[in-house]
Amino acid sequence: MLSTRAATLSSRVAATRKAVVVAGQRQAAISAVRRRDNISVRSIQSVAQTDRDTITRLLYSLGSKREVERHLRIFSSSSHPSQPAKFAVIKIGGAVFDDLDELALSLSFLYRVGLYPVVLHGAGPQMNDILESEGVKPEYEDGIRVTDAKTLQIARRVFLEQNLKLVGALEKLGTRARPITSGVFTATPLDPQKYGLVGKITRVDKRPLEASIRAGALPILTSLAESPEGQILNVNADVAAGELAKELEPLKIVFLNDKGGMYHGVTGEKLDVINLDEEYDHLMAQPWVKYGTKLKLREFKELLDVLPRSSSVAVISASNLQRELFTDSGAGTLIRRGWKMMRFGGFVGDAAAPGSGRQLIPKDRLRAILAARDPAIRAGHASLTALLAALDDAPRGSWTIYADEPLDALAVVSHPPGEVAVVQGLYASRAGVLNGVLDNVWGAVKQDHKRLFWTAGTAGSVAPSPSVPGQGPGDDEPIDRSWHFDRAEGSFTRAGKSLFWYGVPEIGELEREVRMLEISGRVERGWLPLAGRKSRDGLLGAASGAGGANAAPSVRSPGMGAPRSFSTLARVPGSTRGYATTCTDRKRVALIGARGFTGQALTSLLDAHPYLDLTHVSSRALEGWPLEGYEKSQITHTNLSPADVERMESQGEVDAWVMALPNGVCKPFVDAVERGSAERGKDGSVVVDLSADYRFEEGWTYGLPELYGRPAIRASKRISNPGCYATSSQLLIAPLLPYLSPPRWPTVFGVSGYSGAGTITQEGGEKGKGERPLTIPKVTPESLAGGVRPYSLTDHIHEREAGWHLSRLVSPSADGNGNGTTGGQGVQVAFVPTVGPFFSGIISTLSFPLSTALPASSIASLYASFYKASPLVRVQKGVPALADVQGHHGWVVGGVQVHSSGERVVVVGGLDNLLKGAATQCLQNLNLALGYDEYAGIPLETEVD
């Protein structure tokens, strides 16, 4: 029942504030352009967009584009001109008025995308303040405010004031709003002797609300009612919202409060989702469910019992309203009626069914659902008759259909005795998607099957299989491809189609299972052989399965991101709402050393990350200045000391530290993290160090995933980020190590942009004017006079770094000092760095002596095979140029040429020193160590041919 998400949700919503204000002022263009020197980091320009288009795009920062558009489409289609108030009823608690600006922005956001909720508010805290100031003690009976004439007089005044405040705040943002303080609720006195002037609503007139919406204005209501005789009566705002919802039958009934949800009375954890049909009796029997909690649950059940099952209640804070409405994972507490999960093992009328204990599904009902929802059947590409015949012909007990009672979502799972289970069909209606029923079904599947395979095409739907043709989601609600990746522990992609699995961690076992599935025809042939190398611990160390036609398997943390599953009483890994805990929790990152170019690049990446939030940035030079280039929230630079870091770590304020400091400066801060972790008594935060301080340190993991495996990084709390030159050098040399010819060693000549030389601080404007300090490069293009400047001609730190770690690939027992390698020598690399008159990018030229003569084509194929599991590596025919690497997040290799003697090969590689050479690689390591997909927040499309 409890969500285990520890990180604060919805920091992205704060990033929309400026956009809403701009839209409210009817400005025609929105431009968010951030440039670092001559490199554009991100540019979003909208010159002729409507407000709706602009705000819709900003919604994409909350969830996937398809996810947001699906919810927008469903909400938009819920209302009709004849019944325009069926989107949502939003009840605002009086305490929410303490942050009126946040409230107004959240409501204005909905208005900007064309959604018109009916808004009703209370004013309890404000009334209590006035009553107490006038010497009147508030009285309550059974949780209901006793209202005498004086109290009612104050209530009318306070309600009107708060109503006009909210209307004024909305109008200030350009959002039309209409105050409606009477004429909607008709009531009779509830019990005059006991409660005084408190009413029981007997009628709701929705005409003023619908007139307001048709006029293009949000209706803003108070919870005051009138008797048939004209007497004003006070009504509890929650009760009024419920009666309003019964009349309007909206998709969503939202209760905004200052707590952001409902909480467990013992553990204090947020209740993430409640399915009343299954859990109500159990909850009401709990000793901690009492007073206000019990009253609210009872009211919610009475309300939802009379509303369509497509309606649900959400208890949420104003700042998280968009996340609750437009993402599957939500942010507050979701209350819905729900359905009990069904497991069908046969058809009604099946002669083998009596006494079997199986639930039976009417074949005609299944036929109608598949005909309506399966796009392949609707398009004539698959046969409905063949699908049903395949189920009929299969041995009894070899398949199960998982579904909710009304079949809003269902999964067809094949599980012959002694064989691994395969999902052969996923189908969901619009209501099934909106209310998370698809995830309920998935949770039930995971509960029964500890190992599972399934396939999906590029559109995300389950791909047709030979045994049961024509699967896929329906009712024009396609399943986002990311849905599959989020629920898989591994994947393998060929020709735009992916094979997903969970519960099979070993590469050998995986190959055996896939081979058996292909032989039996339960999945189509063509997946074997599985590419990728076996790491030392036996787990796959390959990259994302979305990498291309010949991509290798991808292993990821289990259960990342399945939202809102079926039962909050059961626990199955893989869901943020209900069945399980997952790793789509938002996590907090602190950046120490934010002033430099690398810090700026990492800031931009974190700004687009779906789960990581930058919460602290430290820079001595920029202390007190706002952070630029980060739009999720407003952050001010601080100057954190080791003592500050120790305190923050001991109190668990962040989940990961990134040290972007010069060499030799990091240790006091790392020591502070260690002390804070010890004081905390729990697993400490992750530390990623971008300097060279810990690249040779025992107990630290060297974070170059493409070469040294991902499992070690996933299990590590201390990660040293490789150097930029060292990254390119190692990626160049590693595939050729089997052809190493000691004592002849490889040589790398590297040319880097001047950003790699670091930065210095310059006072902004005239000294003493208090202008923001500027970050400028140590080496300027002017100082290079258009030429290049070799430096550190021997013993560069990256030379030692590359040789030290490459020695591990020659022999896992090597320690970097030459022990354990062939001939007792470790790999030695000769390296000469040079700085050029361009901002960023590294071009590295490798000269490698070969022990065996090889043609250039074989060496090119060697690189392609070695890195085909790595989406951030691109192998090309020509020599990489600056344009191939600047602003790109990966590494490119090409230009292979073999000397006429056949004994030496020259290969060229390149990367952006600020991205794959620093910030992007740091984000890969953060993602792995924190349990996310390795490439979360990293654009891949520009890196793959």
Side-chain angles (χ1 to χ4, degrees), residues 816-886:
N817 291 320
N819 300 319
T821 60
T822 304
Q825 291 181 304
V827 175
Q828 296 180 25
V829 178
F831 171 65
V832 179
T834 303
V835 61
F838 48 90
F839 178 71
S840 69
I842 286 178
I843 299 296
S844 301
T845 303
L846 166 68
S847 177
F848 191 96
L850 296 169
S851 61
T852 302
L854 292 172
S857 59
S858 296
I859 293 176
S861 296
L862 182 67
Y863 278 96
S865 175
F866 194 91
Y867 289 118
K868 66 181 176 181
S870 301
L872 291 181
V873 174
R874 185 172 77 251
V875 180
Q876 65 182 40
K877 184 176 181 180
V879 175
L882 277 178
D884 296 319
V885 301
Q886 285 183 329

Side-chain angles (χ1 to χ4, degrees), residues 592-610:
I592 299 182
R595 178 185 59 81
F597 293 138
T598 298
Q600 294 172 16
L602 184 60
T603 295
S604 297
L605 283 171
L606 291 174
D607 188 41
H609 198 285

Side-chain angles (χ1 to χ4, degrees), residues 53-65:
D53 290 337
T54 301
I55 304 304
T56 299
R57 289 176 182 272
L58 290 172
L59 277 174
Y60 298 157
S61 65
L62 302 179
S64 71
K65 180 179 179 180

Side-chain angles (χ1 to χ4, degrees), residues 518-807:
E518 288 188 351
I519 291 173
S520 65
R522 298 179 65 206
V523 300
E524 61 186 1
R525 292 181 180 270
W527 298 107
L528 294 174
L530 301 183
R533 301 180 307 283
K534 187 175 180 180
S535 63
R536 287 194 296 273
D537 60 4
L539 296 177
L540 284 173
S544 168
N550 295 311
S554 163
V555 174
R556 56 182 296 161
S557 297
M560 287 179 53
R564 287 186 174 163
S565 62
F566 177 65
S567 170
T568 59
L569 299 178
R571 287 288 180 182
V572 175
S575 167
T576 58
R577 286 209 162 184
Y579 265 99
T581 61
T582 88
C583 197
T584 51
D585 294 350
R586 303 198 70 81
K587 294 189 178 181
R588 303 151 298 174
V589 177
L591 172 59
I592 299 182
R595 178 185 59 81
F597 293 138
T598 298
Q600 294 172 16
L602 184 60
T603 295
S604 297
L605 283 171
L606 291 174
D607 188 41
H609 198 285
Y611 308 121
L612 291 179
D613 297 318
L614 189 57
T615 56
H616 299 79
V617 291
S618 177
S619 169
R620 182 176 55 191
L622 294 176
E623 182 180 8
W625 290 94
L627 176 66
E628 295 180 339
Y630 189 79
E631 299 179 357
K632 289 184 185 178
S633 60
Q634 296 178 349
I635 300 178
T636 300
H637 287 89
T638 57
N639 182 16
L640 295 177
S641 66
D644 295 326
V645 171
E646 180 179 349
R647 173 188 55 78
M648 293 168 62
E649 177 66 18
S650 67
Q651 295 177 2
E653 292 188 20
V654 300
D655 301 293
W657 299 88
V658 176
M659 308 295 178
L661 296 165
N663 294 342
V665 181
C666 184
K667 189 176 188 305
F669 294 95
V670 173
D671 291 345
V673 175
E674 299 285 359
R675 292 192 299 270
S677 298
E679 182 179 343
R680 188 169 160 191
K682 298 181 179 179
D683 288 341
S685 302
V686 170
V687 177
V688 179
D689 176 30
L690 274 64
S691 76
D693 291 7
Y694 293 94
R695 291 174 188 162
F696 309 94
E697 191 81 9
E698 184 177 354
W700 283 66
T701 300
Y702 189 68
L704 183 47
E706 287 82 1
L707 293 184
Y708 304 109
R710 293 156 174 88
I713 301 174
R714 286 193 183 94
S716 180
K717 293 286 187 178
R718 300 291 180 265
I719 301 165
S720 59
N721 216 59
C724 53
Y725 275 128
T727 294
S728 190
S729 296
Q730 290 173 85
L731 291 172
L732 272 170
I733 294 170
L736 298 172
L737 284 177
Y739 304 97
L740 190 64
S741 181
R744 297 185 300 160
W745 303 109
T747 298
V748 178
F749 175 75
V751 183
S752 170
Y754 57 82
S755 63
T759 63
I760 59 176
T761 304
Q762 183 181 77
E763 294 293 334
E766 298 179 22
K767 193 174 181 65
K769 293 291 186 180
E771 295 187 29
R772 184 188 183 97
L774 302 177
T775 295
I776 62 174
K778 286 182 181 179
V779 176
T780 64
E782 292 78 16
S783 69
L784 296 173
V788 297
R789 180 187 300 164
Y791 66 101
S792 297
L793 303 182
T794 61
D795 299 307
H796 190 284
I797 184 66
H798 289 180
E799 180 179 83
R800 179 188 171 212
E801 179 185 340
W804 177 285
H805 292 287
L806 285 170
S807 297

Side-chain angles (χ1 to χ4, degrees), residues 262-319:
M262 299 177 67
Y263 292 81
H264 194 290
V266 176
T267 66
E269 293 183 280
K270 185 187 293 180
L271 305 179
D272 210 15
V273 65
I274 299 172
N275 294 287
L276 293 175
D277 277 9
E278 183 183 4
E279 303 173 50
Y280 179 75
D281 292 337
H282 173 82
L283 280 173
M284 295 299 278
Q286 298 301 306
W288 57 270
V289 176
K290 52 187 176 181
Y291 308 129
T293 302
K294 179 168 286 190
L295 178 62
K296 284 186 180 299
L297 285 174
R298 184 180 295 116
E299 290 173 349
F300 292 155
K301 186 174 191 314
E302 291 173 354
L303 171 61
L304 292 175
D305 277 348
V306 300
L307 291 178
R309 284 190 181 268
S310 57
S311 298
S312 61
V313 170
V315 181
I316 188 66
S317 64
S319 61

